[in-house]
């Protein structure tokens, strides 16, 4: 059962949510997100919009990346029997061209950015489906959701297959990343860090000048499986010809 009490705040589109709110006080990130009206042990499963900080709490603990996206997001919290279970997070892609292969602009196509959950009772597909319904109702202009399963983490997209998403193959196997203060940062993230660089300066040069003088470019051979979820019949008809057989689980 999925409930949505009237006291929960309304879902909002990724374009309307700040990507970087005010930082929490020191140590506050270690505190559980407030339960408020969501903390009802009589409700077996609740999926409802949550705060940026609640989403951060889940990502730092239960997602392999342990990193919040820098783009604008629409996070949906998950509660089981009143206990915070995690987050399903949609948002703007790190690349503005996410929807261009399908003739869509940034207002019509978003990415499922994170599914960060602790051990849970209900199927992940049920949580994702509930968040999709609310996102579609809040953002009637959206037409397509894109998500990726990272083969470097051993993922093949089982939750998307169970939810009947459309599989369209893998991404380009060569992606440039950078070491910034010893941490691996994707090239798109580096460009976001350098969004205010002056004309004629590359993102790498800007980050080297302002953030880490020892930034270094590395190349990873990573492949991600790409899944699409159309939100209207016309979009489904458009992308169905792109469908490929689901990747099988390792034997």
């Amino acid at each position: 059962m999925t409930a949505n009490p009237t006291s929960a705040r309304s879902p909002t589109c990724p374009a309307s949510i700040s990507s970087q709110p005010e930082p929490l006080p020191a140590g506050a990130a270690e505190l559980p997100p407030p339960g408020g009206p969501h903390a009802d042990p009589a409700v077996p499963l609740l999926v409802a919009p949550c705060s940026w900080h609640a989403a951060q709490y889940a990502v730092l603990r239960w997602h392999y990346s342990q990193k919040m996206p820098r783009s604008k997001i629409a996070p949906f919290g998950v509660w089981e029997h009143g206990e915070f279970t995690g987050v399903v997070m949609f948002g703007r892609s790190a690349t503005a061209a996410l929807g261009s292969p399908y003739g869509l602009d940034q207002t019509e196509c978003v990415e499922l950015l994170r599914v960060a959950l602790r051990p849970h009772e209900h199927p992940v597909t049920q949580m994702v489906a509930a968040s999709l319904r609310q996102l579609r109702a809040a953002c009637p202009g959206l037409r397509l959701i894109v998500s990726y399963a990272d083969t470097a983490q051993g993922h093949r997209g089982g939750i998307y297959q169970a939810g009947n998403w459309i599989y369209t193959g893998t991404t380009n196997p060569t992606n440039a990343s950078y070491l910034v203060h010893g941490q691996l940062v994707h090239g798109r993230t580096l460009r976001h860090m350098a969004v205010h660089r002056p004309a004629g300066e590359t993102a790498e040069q800007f980050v080297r000048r302002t953030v880490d003088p020892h930034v270094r470019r590395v190349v990873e051979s990573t492949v991600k499986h790409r899944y699409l979820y159309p939100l209207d019949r016309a979009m489904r008809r458009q992308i169905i010809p792109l469908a490929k057989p689901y990747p099988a689980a390792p034997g």
Side-chain angles (χ1 to χ4, degrees), residues 58 62 78-80 83-87 116-121 127:
W62 304 318
V78 179
W79 287 261
E80 291 183 310
E83 295 293 327
F84 185 66
T85 299
V87 69
L117 302 165
R118 65 172 173 81
H120 49 86
E121 173 186 334
M127 302 171 186

Side-chain angles (χ1 to χ4, degrees), residues 108-181:
E108 299 172 301
C109 181
V110 296
E111 185 176 341
L112 199 172
L113 296 168
R114 301 282 190 274
V115 177
L117 302 165
R118 65 172 173 81
H120 49 86
E121 173 186 334
H122 294 81
V124 180
T125 50
Q126 185 177 356
M127 302 171 186
V128 171
S131 62
L132 280 169
R133 286 193 295 271
Q134 296 180 56
L135 182 70
R136 177 160 46 186
C139 308
L142 279 182
R143 303 193 63 205
L144 184 68
I145 312 296
V146 181
S147 194
Y148 300 94
D150 192 349
T151 60
Q153 299 296 321
H155 299 165
R156 62 183 179 88
I159 62 174
Y160 308 119
Q161 296 179 20
N164 295 317
W165 289 53
I166 296 170
Y167 176 67
T168 63
T170 59
T171 59
N172 189 315
T174 302
N175 294 310
S177 296
Y178 296 81
L179 283 173
V180 180
H181 292 311

Side-chain angles (χ1 to χ4, degrees), residues 165-169 228 238-246:
W165 289 53
I166 296 170
Y167 176 67
T168 63
L228 308 179
Q238 178 182 328
I239 64 176
I240 274 292
L242 306 175
K244 297 182 179 182
Y246 286 149

Side-chain angles (χ1 to χ4, degrees), residues 59-78:
V59 168
L60 292 180
R61 285 154 183 78
W62 304 318
H63 193 267
Y64 68 88
S65 71
Q66 296 187 312
K67 293 180 182 178
M68 283 291 286
R70 290 179 175 269
S71 60
K72 294 182 178 181
I73 62 170
F76 292 86
V78 179

